[in-house]
Each structure stands twice: as C-alpha cells, then as structure tokens.
Amino acid sequence: MRPRASLVTLSVAAALVLSACSSGQSGSSDTDAAAAAPGAALTIAKPDGAITTESHNPYLGDSSASKYGYAKVIFEPLALVNPTGDLGTTPWLAESVEWNDDYTELTVVPRSGVTWSDGTEFTGDDIVYTFDQYLDGRLTDTAGLKYEGATVDGDAITLRFGDSKFTAQARVLHTPIVPKHIWETLDEPNTDPLTEDGLVVGTGPYVLDSWSTESVTLTANPDYWAGELAVPTLHYVSYGDNAALTTALVSGEADWAQAFIPQIEASYLAADDDNRFLVSPTTGAGTLFMNLQTKPFDDVALRQALAWTIDRDAYVDIAREGASEAVWSVTGLGSVLESEIAPEYQGESYSVDVDKARQILTHAGYTWQDEALVDPDGERVSFSISVPAGWSDWNTQQALIAEELGSALGIEVRVDQPDWGGWDAARQEGTFQAIIHWLEDTGNAYGLYTSTMDPRWIVDDRAQFNFGRFEDPAVTDALNTYATASSDDERTAASAVLQQAFAEQVPAIPLGAHPLLGEYNTRNYVGWPTEEDQYASADPTQPGIVQILVNLEPVE
C-alpha cells in the first residue's frame, strides 16, 4: 500500500520549479501568442447563481468566500494534500509536517519569512491560536478533528488529537490558519462575516480588493512569501447555470472553472485551441449502492451477476462523456490506489461477461421465463434505480444500467428521478432499492470501504453512508484497525480483510472515478497541471489552487 507521507520536508520552491518544467504546455498558436497579454487578469467562474450575502469567513461553508472559493487564496493551510496524481503532501505554511506512528500527533515547523497581508510577522503562535479556538468553543469542530491541545519545543509545534487522523490527514493539514492578532479581537468567530475594514488578513497569494453581488476581485499580495505572482488580478464570478458558464468560457469572458459540461469537445474544446479540460481521478468513485436488506439485493449471487454485467467503460464514455476513469478491480479500488490492492487481487478485475453472470445466477437457483429473470422463489427480478432529476450524467447511467441488465439478464429496471428531497430521504431511511452515489474520499482505501460497509454511518436508523446497511463484525473490526493502526503492516493486514469482503460480498459496485474537473485556457499563462503532471487538480475550488497560481508563468 502507498503510505501517506509521515515526514515531508520537500522544498516548495523546488516542487514548483519541477512542476512548471514538466507542465507540457507549449502555449497557443502564433497569432494568439502575439496577442497574449502577460499580466492579464484571470476570471474564475462557478455555475451556482447569484451569491448575495458578503462574508469572508473561511470556516463558514455558506460564506461567499467559501461558495466562490476565494477563501483559499487568502487563508493558507499548513500543507497541501494532492487528491490526485501521487496523493503526495507538500508543506505550505509549515516547512515540514510529521505525524507520529498512530497519527494522533502532528509536529510542524512554521515557515520562516512569512508575513500577514497587513505586514505583521507570521509565527507559530498563529498556528497554535488557530487550533486552540476549537478547545474554547470559539470555532465549532465541524470537521471532527477532536483537537486536544499543542506543545511547543523550540521551532517545533506538536498538535494532539483525540483519535487517529490517518484517514483524515487532509482535514487537519487543510485547516485555514488565521492571524491571532486579528481573530482574538472577534467576539464570534463562528459567525463573524469579516466585513469590517482590516479583518480580511491572510498569508495567501491574493488580498481582497472589492466585493459585489456580481463579482469579487482580488489582487496579488506584493509581499507574498513564495515570490512574485504572474497573475496580478483574480475575478470571481458566479453564473446562473452550466449553460451560462459554458458560454462565458467559450467567449473568453471566463478563464477557469470547475464544471461538468455536456458535449465538452464540441461545446468548449473545439471553440479555441487554447481551451483545456483536465480530468483528475481521485480515490472516490460514482458507485451503485444496493439496498442489501430487501429483495432482490439481499442475495449476493444477484449482486455478483450485476458486477459481471454492468459496463463501466460505458459509464465513462457515455454517461460521463470521458470525464472519469472506469473502476474494474474486484476490490473496488481505482487506479489512483492501485498500490494498495492486496497481492492476491492484483489483476483480478471484472469485465462484461454475460455468460459468467448467467452461470452465477443459474447456480443460485435463478431461471428465465420468456427471457425474464425469475428468482428461486418464482418471482420476476425487478428493481428501481434512483437519482435526482437533472443530474444528467447519472440520469444517463440509470438508462444504461436499465438497458444492460434488461437485455443481458432479463431484469426489469425502473428509472426513478425524484427531486432532491425525496431522494435524500430515501437514501437515509433505506427505503430505496438502488441509487448512484459518491464515496467518502479519504485519500486511501478506507474511503471506499467505510462508505460501503461501515455501520458507524447508521445513526438513529438513518444513513449518511453505507446506504445498503452492510454489517459484518470482522469487517467492522478491520475498518477500526485500518483507521487507528500504528504501523503500515497492521493497516495492510486490515485492508486485506476489507478487500476480501468487498470482492466476495459485493456490497456496492463502483462504476468510475469521481474526478475533480477543471476547464482553463492557455492564452495568457502556462504552467497548469496536465494529464502528464498532475501536481494538483485543475479544480479552482480546491486548496491546490495556490500551488497552481504560484506555478503560472506568462506566455512568451
């Protein structure tokens, strides 16, 4: 398995130089290059409609800073955890980060030479103060960090947590660090919108310039610790929907976005040779969850037959229009986690094998009447698959599954497209038959297995994950061991138990990686992440945006 880096002291400058050198971008056509404007602003767009209330608080999920995403270029984290590529960790406000063996303590050394945007020196006191706000209730621990306090030894700061953070390293490392000298003056940091003058102070590459309900403008921080920035200005704009966003990207009104754009080749890429689209697979996946408590999915034979029939390539090519990566391994793990697959399952993959699926069903007592599949109790096999109306990619996948299972196995699949509220209630209450859903993305194999087999997600008979309500004491023990192990050997042994259970019991069927998407253009800047060099995803809403902005260079 790939261990998450317990000690990382990589030079940020070296990492950025390497990323820029291997970016693979060669710029635009001669005409466009001549027209390129070094020093041009970048407009970062979202399709979320008007954002009408001003709030710059990075801890509030409904603040304008969080909805637009500009909080991430003002307030920086201790380190950046790459959710794609090599899943590596790059120190940021910390010069080094080191976890202890059981991941209950994190030791960091603050980066020297950093100043807050108001000119005040950044120190380790700011790190300790940021986390101590969870102790005194000034901040609500919405991320479940269970922070217990800090100790300081010279330049080193050790942060202690109530349980292992192996599966939640990014939650800790991505915590926005805020200035003690500003935040200790706030009465209610949990709710303060930071709209008074002088409160929006960060260490990040950009500072807030202006805010309106139409757009937000930020300008480059002239004293940024990582050096001079090529992009002088960022404009954040929110459009009404994906169609309006696509129009803005094609016209050049917007430069950078994260969105699923139907028919992206014709509607966006073909419009300009400088337009780019990057799909970054993550450890999560679009997954078929089945209700294991009721027919027909209470029979493992049926689940196995489905796993040998559903075409994951069709999911990628048709439903996701190429914006994904098929998951075929019997362990459910995608290519990003290939190194975590146990030796006995290396190369063990599903394929579309209808004969094998029919053999499994026949052996389990199923029959066919007029090509319709009949279960051992003499009842025709049928079920509904539910996805909210308007989720176009997964709505398409519903139709694909219905067609595949109907023609190959004679299963009647009904397509259900309720509104969000009805779908949400059914998935939590367990009143659905099958749904397509995402996974908890922990950056390792744990995310898949806790999402599909962990009973801890069922509280008061309502599910937040494990919607099929799978339960096996040996699997639960292995999940707990994986999350709290103090050695890689323990974690590897636990993972082997989880992989075997998943392969044999088929509690869910991952279809394809749930990727991070990014649309951008190379008219004015190069140095973006690419398929060959995914040092970050191209999604501007992710923490890695600061790494990209430092990497960008003007087109020559």
Side-chain angles (χ1 to χ4, degrees):
M1 64 186 292
R2 176 191 287 112
R4 303 293 289 163
S6 61
L7 174 59
V8 185
T9 56
L10 177 67
S11 161
V12 171
L16 299 181
V17 168
L18 287 171
S19 297
C21 289
S22 58
S23 67
Q25 297 288 359
S26 58
S28 319
S29 66
D30 291 342
T31 300
D32 291 338
L42 282 180
T43 296
I44 300 172
K46 294 193 72 178
D48 300 337
I51 297 175
T52 58
T53 303
E54 180 179 9
S55 173
H56 313 299
N57 193 320
Y59 297 109
L60 303 181
D62 61 353
S63 71
S64 58
S66 296
K67 288 181 176 179
Y68 276 114
Y70 62 85
K72 292 180 174 63
V73 301
I74 297 175
F75 301 97
E76 295 186 297
L78 295 171
L80 298 172
V81 180
N82 190 356
T84 189
D86 65 359
L87 302 179
T89 297
T90 301
W92 208 250
L93 274 185
E95 292 184 350
S96 65
V97 295
E98 181 179 6
W99 292 96
N100 68 344
D101 289 343
D102 64 3
Y103 288 80
T104 58
E105 295 183 354
L106 173 67
T107 299
V108 303
V109 175
R111 187 170 296 281
S112 59
V114 178
T115 58
W116 294 98
S117 55
D118 64 358
T120 304
E121 182 185 4
F122 162 76
T123 71
D125 289 345
D126 297 304
I127 296 174
V128 174
Y129 179 80
T130 294
F131 282 91
D132 277 357
Q133 290 181 104
Y134 293 117
L135 289 181
D136 58 22
R138 287 173 60 79
L139 286 181
T140 302
D141 187 13
T142 56
L145 301 183
K146 298 183 181 178
Y147 171 72
E148 293 186 340
T151 56
V152 179
D153 183 8
D155 291 335
I157 299 167
T158 298
L159 308 172
R160 303 187 309 277
F161 302 91
D163 55 22
S164 173
K165 295 299 162 208
F166 180 82
T167 64
Q169 293 173 67
R171 292 185 195 173
V172 176
L173 295 172
H174 289 169
T175 299
I177 304 302
V178 296
K180 177 182 178 181
H181 68 283
I182 298 292
W183 281 66
E184 65 185 358
T185 69
L186 304 179
D187 292 331
E188 294 290 341
N190 264 319
T191 58
D192 197 307
L194 305 185
T195 51
E196 293 184 16
D197 288 345
L199 295 185
V200 188
V201 174
T203 60
Y206 290 83
V207 295
L208 183 66
D209 180 71
S210 64
W211 192 97
S212 75
T213 56
E214 288 76 35
S215 66
V216 182
T217 297
L218 296 94
T219 56
N221 181 350
D223 299 315
Y224 187 47
W225 61 267
E228 185 177 356
L229 298 152
V231 182
T233 307
L234 301 178
H235 299 300
Y236 281 81
V237 179
S238 184
Y239 293 88
D241 52 33
N242 274 357
L245 174 61
T246 303
T247 299
L249 286 168
V250 170
S251 69
E253 181 180 294
D255 301 294
W256 191 2
Q258 172 272 321
F260 178 76
I261 300 177
Q263 299 178 331
I264 192 168
E265 180 66 43
S267 62
Y268 171 66
L269 295 177
D272 191 325
D273 288 342
D274 291 315
N275 287 346
R276 300 285 190 273
F277 175 49
L278 183 62
V279 179
S280 299
T282 68
T283 60
T287 299
L288 179 69
F289 281 83
M290 300 160 284
N291 191 332
L292 310 183
Q293 304 304 307
T294 62
K295 294 182 70 171
F297 299 116
D298 58 349
D299 184 0
V300 67
L302 182 78
R303 305 197 299 268
Q304 291 171 341
L306 265 58
W308 284 102
T309 305
I310 294 173
D311 188 349
R312 282 70 149 186
D313 286 338
Y315 169 76
V316 171
D317 296 338
I318 301 174
R320 293 287 302 174
E321 298 187 24
S324 185
E325 182 178 271
V327 176
W328 287 104
S329 171
V330 297
T331 66
L333 300 176
S335 66
V336 178
L337 292 174
E338 188 173 359
S339 64
E340 289 203 36
I341 297 177
E344 59 267 34
Y345 290 114
Q346 288 285 343
E348 292 294 318
S349 299
Y350 292 111
S351 61
V352 177
D353 190 335
V354 176
D355 289 341
K356 185 176 184 67
R358 284 180 167 251
Q359 289 172 5
I360 292 170
L361 293 170
T362 299
H363 183 73
Y366 289 77
T367 57
W368 282 266
Q369 294 180 5
D370 298 325
E371 293 302 313
L373 183 63
V374 176
D375 70 19
D377 295 329
E379 298 178 2
R380 179 172 186 187
V381 177
S382 67
F383 65 86
S384 64
I385 180 170
S386 182
V387 171
W391 291 17
S392 59
D393 53 341
W394 286 355
N395 292 155
T396 299
Q397 181 60 19
Q398 289 176 286
L400 288 173
I401 290 176
E403 180 180 351
E404 291 164 355
L405 298 184
S407 62
L409 301 181
I411 297 174
E412 178 188 41
V413 180
R414 300 179 301 279
V415 172
D416 179 33
Q417 296 181 1
D419 60 21
W420 161 265
W423 182 77
D424 180 45
R427 67 173 178 157
Q428 291 192 57
E429 295 165 4
T431 55
F432 68 93
Q433 288 188 291
I435 60 173
I436 302 175
H437 202 280
W438 55 90
L439 302 175
E440 174 86 342
D441 186 356
T442 61
N444 43 50
Y446 181 81
L448 165 65
Y449 299 130
T450 186
S451 296
T452 57
M453 299 190 292
D454 198 338
R456 75 180 178 89
W457 293 106
I458 316 297
V459 179
D460 295 331
D461 206 33
R462 299 178 70 86
Q464 297 304 310
F465 277 107
N466 188 16
F467 304 107
R469 287 169 162 73
F470 179 94
E471 187 167 2
D472 180 319
V475 170
T476 301
D477 287 345
L479 284 164
N480 293 336
T481 298
Y482 189 105
T484 61
S486 58
S487 73
D488 284 341
D489 287 344
E490 289 179 84
R491 198 167 284 112
T492 298
S495 184
V497 173
L498 299 175
Q499 292 179 45
Q500 181 179 1
F502 195 89
E504 293 179 354
Q505 297 297 315
V506 195
I509 302 176
L511 303 168
H514 196 59
L516 295 170
L517 309 177
E519 294 88 11
Y520 60 89
N521 65 68
T522 57
R523 283 188 288 273
N524 297 315
Y525 298 102
V526 295
W528 302 88
T530 65
E531 286 187 10
E532 295 76 21
D533 182 15
Q534 299 214 29
Y535 65 86
S537 79
D539 180 346
T541 69
Q542 297 295 308
I545 184 176
V546 293
Q547 201 168 1
I548 297 172
L549 288 165
V550 170
N551 251 1
L552 293 184
E553 297 178 352
V555 170
E556 296 181 358

